[in-house]
């Protein structure tokens, strides 16, 4: 009698590679702080000193910006403790409102916000290095593109030509994007190390500027007591004063933007239910202290009436405190700051697209974790390639202005999502419960809604184009969603 051969048991499939929880609390704080502090602290003083030429109000608006950001942070902290996975805000929006809202947020990040930020910061870093190495800032015409239709110029029909001006700073910016992408692909630890070294270098440069500015600088303490005509109220009615504070807050909120980065990498943070909320609160407090110190140095160098006239305040303040020759090392400080912020955005942003791809609403390859390096390699590469395209286009700054209101709206919707999930999912574990609930998150919602409406009213063109950019993602969502349904077993 034949004996049947024993059935061959299928070999268990190898487990899929996963992300590594390798970011400590210090790594997380440095990531958040570096992501926030890019170039804005060196540029925004003019926009605040103009409507608020009073030292007390000038510093107050920076404190208010930090406090309002903390109101959002404590709401995000509870959400982060509930969903300690990579993707952060994308996941919070998905759980509160569903796939479409979450996708449109992620689409906005990929198409403009993150890609444009990486492009802008990389080119800015290279451009400031051009102040030290002049050949880097030289320009040449990359292409003359003849458009397929004539143009009317001064009453005459002429051939329309679009000239693309390409600087060596743009080329070096592309090199920086490639370096940041490669280092982060090669492992979380390498990406965090690059992030930490550049951040500590930035801290040292800013500390030197502040300490030496007060210790050896040629500033004047009287600038802190100089009052604008009309005293503290500046001769304005209460409504006008609130409006002036609101204008100042626009620039301040821009300067504080970036604290959400740490939520995007929550899947790689050690003990995320504790460290993600703690990193957000500690990080915003550190940033607030740095911003106050830098602005106090500016005011020590120049009265607010002069600060309101200078776009690049850090150069002008250094020229007064030290000498015109100080501009060289200040350019190096700003270049390092921009590079560090680009590194934070590169590391964290790719994790959002990873989460989208895992949900079946983005390019499937972006859901793959590299088996050796344990990083979202394809997500990082896709992000880097798109940032390079935006760099070559030269339109990243303009595109970003279109989605600013959308970013603030997304923060506001996420904080509202805290209330939604308290109602929809009261059973979910919440290791951290929002401090000051419901009042602190409600304050942020009120401010966020008011700011978004003000942007739509005051800048309708930018708001319209921002809405168009976001809605352009809808066909993509329908395509990917249909594809993911087709792959489900019937």
């Amino acid at each position: 009698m034949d004996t049947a051969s024993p059935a061959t048991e299928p070999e268990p499939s190898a487990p899929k590679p996963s992300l590594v929880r390798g970011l400590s609390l210090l790594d997380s704080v440095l990531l958040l702080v570096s992501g926030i502090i890019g170039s804005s602290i060196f540029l925004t003083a003019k926009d605040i000193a103009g409507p608020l030429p009073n030292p007390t109000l000038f510093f107050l608006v920076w404190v208010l910006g930090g406090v309002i950001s903390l109101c959002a942070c404590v709401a995000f902290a509870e959400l982060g403790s509930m969903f300690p996975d990579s993707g952060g805000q994308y996941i919070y929006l998905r759980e509160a409102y569903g796939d479409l809202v979450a996708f449109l947020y992620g689409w906005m990040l990929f198409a403009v916000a993150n890609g444009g930020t990486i492009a802008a910061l990389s080119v800015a870093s290279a451009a400031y290095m051009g102040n030290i190495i002049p050949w880097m800032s030289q320009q040449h015409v990359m292409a003359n593109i003849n458009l397929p239709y004539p143009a009317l110029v001064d009453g005459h029909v002429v051939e329309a030509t679009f000239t693309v001006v390409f600087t060596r700073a743009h080329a070096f910016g592309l090199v920086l994007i490639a370096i940041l992408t490669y280092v982060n692909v090669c492992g979380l630890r390498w990406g965090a190390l690059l992030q930490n070294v550049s951040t500590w270098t930035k801290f040292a440069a800013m500390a030197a500027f502040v300490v030496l500015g007060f210790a050896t600088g040629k500033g004047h303490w009287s600038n802190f007591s100089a009052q604008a005509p009309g005293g503290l109220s500046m001769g304005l009615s209460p409504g006008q004063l609130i409006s002036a504070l609101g204008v100042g807050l626009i620039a301040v909120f821009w300067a504080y933007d970036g604290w959400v980065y740490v939520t995007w990498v929550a899947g790689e943070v050690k003990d995320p239910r504790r460290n993600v909320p703690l990193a957000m609160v500690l990080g915003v407090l550190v940033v607030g202290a740095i911003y106050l110190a830098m602005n106090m140095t500016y005011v020590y160098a120049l009265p607010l009436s002069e600060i309101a006239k200078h776009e690049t305040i850090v150069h002008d303040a250094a020229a007064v405190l030290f000498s015109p020759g100080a501009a060289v090392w200040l350019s190096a400080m700003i270049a390092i700051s921009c590079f560090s912020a680009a590194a934070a955005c590169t590391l964290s942003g790719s994790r959002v697209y990873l989460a989208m791809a895992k949900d079946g609403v983005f390019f499937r390859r972006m859901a793959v974790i590299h088996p050796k390096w344990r990083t979202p390699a394809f997500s990082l590469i896709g992000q880097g390639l798109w940032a390079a395209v935006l760099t070559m286009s030269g339109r990243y700054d303009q595109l970003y202005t279109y989605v600013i209101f959308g970013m603030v709206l997304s923060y506001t919707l996420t904080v509202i999502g805290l209330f939604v999930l308290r109602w929809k999912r009261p059973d979910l574990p919440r290791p951290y419960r929002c401090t000051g609930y419901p009042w602190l998150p409600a304050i942020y919602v009120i401010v966020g809604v008011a700011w978004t409406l003000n942007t739509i009213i005051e800048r309708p063109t930018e708001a319209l184009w921002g809405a168009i950019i976001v809605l352009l993602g809808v066909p993509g969502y329908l395509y990917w969603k249909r594809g993911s349904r087709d792959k489900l077993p019937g």
Side-chain angles (χ1 to χ4, degrees):
M1 183 175 67
D2 293 337
T3 57
S5 59
T8 304
E9 294 185 4
E11 295 183 2
S13 59
K16 291 184 178 180
S18 59
L19 299 175
V20 178
R21 289 200 180 275
L23 296 176
S24 66
L25 175 60
L26 179 60
D27 294 330
S28 303
V29 172
L30 291 176
L31 173 71
L32 184 144
V33 173
S34 185
I36 294 176
I37 303 176
S39 59
S40 55
I41 184 57
F42 310 114
L43 303 171
T44 52
K46 173 181 182 291
D47 298 322
I48 300 166
L52 298 171
N54 181 287
T56 302
L57 297 176
F58 179 80
F59 293 118
L60 175 63
V61 80
W62 283 101
V63 174
L64 283 175
V67 170
I68 294 171
S69 296
L70 279 173
C71 289
C73 280
V74 292
F76 272 66
E78 177 173 321
L79 295 168
S81 74
M82 294 164 62
F83 307 106
D85 301 310
S86 291
Q89 190 180 355
Y90 165 81
I91 294 175
Y92 313 156
L93 289 168
R94 183 193 68 197
E95 294 298 321
Y97 305 108
D99 290 347
L100 178 58
V101 172
F103 169 83
L104 292 177
Y105 165 74
W107 162 258
M108 179 175 63
L109 288 183
F110 180 82
V112 177
N114 275 15
T117 296
I118 293 170
L121 289 170
S122 298
V123 173
S125 180
Y128 276 105
M129 286 301 295
N131 293 332
I132 304 170
I133 309 171
W135 68 267
M136 285 180 56
S137 61
Q138 294 178 9
Q139 296 184 357
H140 67 276
V141 175
M142 186 174 71
N144 286 315
I145 303 172
N146 295 320
L147 301 179
Y149 51 83
L152 189 66
V153 179
D154 295 332
H156 302 284
V157 177
V158 298
E159 183 181 23
T161 301
F162 177 62
T163 302
V164 179
V165 178
F166 193 70
T167 70
R168 287 177 176 170
H170 284 83
F172 194 68
L174 293 175
V175 173
L176 291 181
I177 291 171
I179 292 172
L180 290 171
T181 300
Y182 176 75
V183 170
N184 278 282
V185 165
C186 288
L188 176 65
R189 198 64 253 161
W190 284 109
L193 180 63
L194 176 66
Q195 173 66 62
N196 292 350
V197 169
S198 61
T199 302
W200 284 115
T201 305
K202 171 164 61 178
F203 286 170
M206 297 175 80
F209 174 72
V210 173
V211 172
L212 294 177
F214 281 103
T216 64
K218 303 170 185 176
H220 300 281
W221 290 104
S222 60
N223 293 340
F224 288 90
S225 58
Q227 296 291 325
L232 187 61
S233 67
M234 301 183 299
L236 303 176
S237 67
Q240 291 172 323
L241 183 59
I242 291 173
S243 177
L245 286 169
V247 171
L249 277 172
I250 292 175
V252 170
F253 284 156
W254 169 266
Y256 275 100
D257 190 35
W259 49 264
V260 72
Y261 284 6
V262 72
T263 72
W264 298 346
V265 296
E268 290 155 287
V269 175
K270 299 175 182 177
D271 192 7
R273 295 185 188 276
R274 169 187 177 271
N275 287 340
V276 170
L278 195 54
M280 279 195 285
V281 174
L282 290 176
V284 171
L285 290 175
V286 169
V287 169
I290 292 173
Y291 280 175
L292 279 176
M294 289 293 291
N295 280 286
M296 287 177 69
T297 311
Y298 299 155
V299 174
Y300 181 62
L302 294 164
L304 288 176
S305 58
E306 287 298 312
I307 290 175
K309 300 175 184 177
H310 297 283
E311 192 74 43
T312 55
I313 180 59
V314 69
H315 285 104
D316 300 290
V320 172
L321 293 173
F322 310 114
S323 70
V328 173
W329 67 269
L330 282 171
S331 293
M333 176 178 71
I334 299 173
I336 293 168
S337 182
C338 291
F339 176 80
S340 177
C345 191
T346 300
L347 189 155
S348 54
S350 59
R351 275 62 179 176
V352 177
Y353 322 135
L354 169 71
M356 295 170 66
K358 284 183 175 180
D359 286 346
V361 292
F362 212 45
F363 300 103
R364 291 175 60 198
R365 293 287 282 175
M366 288 192 174
V368 176
I369 305 296
H370 196 282
K372 178 181 178 182
W373 295 316
R374 308 279 293 277
T375 58
F378 292 101
S379 184
L380 283 159
I381 292 169
Q383 173 183 255
L385 289 174
W386 182 243
V389 169
L390 291 177
T391 299
M392 296 287 287
S393 75
R395 302 297 182 193
Y396 43 83
D397 285 337
Q398 183 180 23
L399 287 171
Y400 194 88
T401 61
Y402 292 154
V403 299
I404 289 174
F405 96 99
M407 292 297 293
V408 177
L409 178 61
S410 76
Y411 297 153
T412 306
L413 284 175
T414 305
V415 176
I416 295 173
L418 173 68
F419 295 92
V420 173
L421 289 171
R422 285 274 185 116
W423 171 66
K424 284 175 59 176
R425 307 286 297 277
D427 56 315
L428 282 179
R430 291 171 169 82
Y432 170 83
R433 297 184 73 87
C434 177
T435 302
Y437 182 88
W439 306 111
L440 293 185
I443 290 172
Y444 186 84
V445 169
I446 292 170
V447 173
V449 169
W451 190 18
T452 303
L453 290 175
N454 183 66
T455 301
I456 294 172
I457 294 169
E458 295 296 329
R459 299 183 177 181
T461 301
E462 286 86 347
L464 175 62
W465 277 108
I468 290 172
I469 289 171
V470 172
L471 293 176
L472 282 174
V474 172
Y477 169 80
L478 297 175
Y479 168 78
W480 279 304
K481 199 69 177 175
R482 179 180 177 183
S484 64
R485 282 198 301 266
D486 291 344
K487 291 178 176 61
L488 292 175

